[in-house]
Amino acid sequence: MPKYEEIANIIRQRIKQGRYPANTLLPNQTDLVQEFDASRMTIKKAITILTMEGLVLSRRGAGTKVLDHSFWNKSTAPADQYRGMSRDLADIGKTLSSKVITFEVTFPTPEIKERLMLADQQPVYKIIRLRIIDGVNSVLEHTYMPVSLVPGLTDDVLAQSIYTYLKETLHLTFAGAFRNIQADKADEYDQQYLDCAPIDPVLEVEQVVYLDNGQPIEYSRSRNRYDRRAYTFLDVKNT
């Protein structure tokens, strides 16, 4: 993650925690440069991110004012990177809990076998989890992982963060992910666990996550309530 995004995450969390209250000024750029050991341009990019989110307003000669609202009234996630929902939400000061609906070992369908590049009769974990953000049912995850690549997966791991387990316990390294984001109609699971009406739209994020050796380790479909979860792409390269 670029340093300006890390700094923006820290300042955002301080705003949400009230360390920088609404209608007060952020520390000036000279102080932020010294605190974060960063260039003035890096601090400017971090402030630009927060300005684009509606959290602050900068005026020449008047400093950077903390606003009492954000433009976005739903949880958002970056569309161009994936570090796991637990870490993404922790960075912006939100709480995440999980409810395991299904956890079983099964043989993959032809589609899942193709997505994960599996050999015949190679078993996978089938996992369905409800992700609850700040106490609100927000995302329903349908996840498949090869059993051979993820030994020792348990209910306790699923209740916390799978990606923390993969990185810190299994010491796996990721190369990236392919994502497809599209709208869909609410299915029976969405209606039951996300409180969707039959006519409600759902934002589905379909993805394959790859290890650094090119092997797919996850195929998933995340079903997001249209009014509770969104995905963003931020471009500040030219600022």
Side-chain angles (χ1 to χ4, degrees):
M1 176 186 295
K3 188 165 186 176
Y4 62 82
E5 290 187 12
E6 294 179 2
I7 295 170
N9 288 339
I10 293 171
I11 296 175
R12 184 190 301 109
Q13 190 164 10
R14 290 177 180 177
I15 292 173
K16 293 182 181 297
Q17 292 173 342
R19 181 170 170 181
Y20 299 147
N23 299 314
T24 65
L25 296 178
L26 289 182
N28 62 50
Q29 287 196 15
T30 299
D31 290 340
L32 293 174
V33 165
Q34 293 177 350
E35 177 184 355
F36 293 107
D37 190 23
S39 68
R40 206 170 269 274
M41 179 58 69
T42 297
I43 297 299
K44 181 181 177 182
K45 283 188 174 184
I47 298 301
T48 297
I49 291 174
L50 301 174
T51 301
M52 294 169 69
E53 294 176 355
L55 290 173
V56 301
L57 177 64
S58 294
R59 293 189 183 279
R60 185 180 297 274
T64 301
K65 181 180 179 181
V66 180
L67 302 180
D68 60 358
H69 68 280
S70 168
F71 294 146
W72 315 113
N73 60 0
K74 62 184 73 174
S75 170
T76 62
D80 59 336
Q81 57 184 275
Y82 186 74
R83 303 173 301 151
M85 189 183 296
S86 298
R87 184 170 176 184
D88 286 339
L89 292 173
D91 283 345
I92 59 174
K94 291 185 175 292
T95 61
L96 175 68
S97 59
S98 302
K99 177 182 178 181
V100 180
I101 298 168
T102 299
F103 178 36
E104 63 186 24
V105 174
T106 186
F107 291 111
T109 65
E111 177 191 15
I112 296 168
K113 177 182 171 182
E114 179 181 4
R115 294 286 191 274
L116 292 176
M117 300 193 313
L118 299 174
D120 290 337
Q121 303 301 309
Q122 188 171 348
V124 297
Y125 295 111
K126 176 182 178 181
I127 305 160
I128 302 177
R129 290 192 300 173
L130 176 63
R131 308 289 261 169
I132 305 164
I133 302 173
D134 285 346
V136 179
N137 295 357
S138 300
V139 185
L140 195 61
E141 294 179 344
H142 300 253
T143 304
Y144 298 87
M145 291 180 162
V147 173
S148 60
L149 296 180
V150 192
L153 197 59
T154 65
D155 286 296
D156 289 340
V157 173
L158 298 184
Q160 302 299 320
S161 169
I162 295 177
Y163 274 74
T164 297
Y165 177 74
L166 297 179
K167 293 177 181 179
E168 298 182 4
T169 300
L170 299 184
H171 306 293
L172 298 176
T173 304
F174 302 93
F178 174 82
R179 277 183 165 177
N180 179 62
I181 301 176
Q182 62 188 11
D184 196 8
K185 295 180 180 178
D187 61 22
E188 292 183 4
Y189 274 102
D190 303 325
Q191 294 169 40
Q192 179 177 355
Y193 292 102
L194 297 179
D195 306 316
C196 292
I199 60 173
D200 279 346
V202 172
L203 184 65
E204 181 181 84
V205 181
E206 183 182 29
Q207 73 175 13
V208 179
V209 179
Y210 295 88
L211 297 176
D212 57 358
N213 63 4
Q215 172 66 48
I217 191 172
E218 175 197 298
Y219 169 67
S220 65
R221 293 182 298 108
S222 295
R223 310 277 292 181
N224 302 259
R225 264 195 64 128
Y226 73 95
D227 56 344
R228 295 180 184 169
R229 183 80 168 160
Y231 289 79
T232 59
F233 180 81
L234 180 65
D235 186 357
V236 294
K237 295 182 180 64
N238 297 319
T239 56

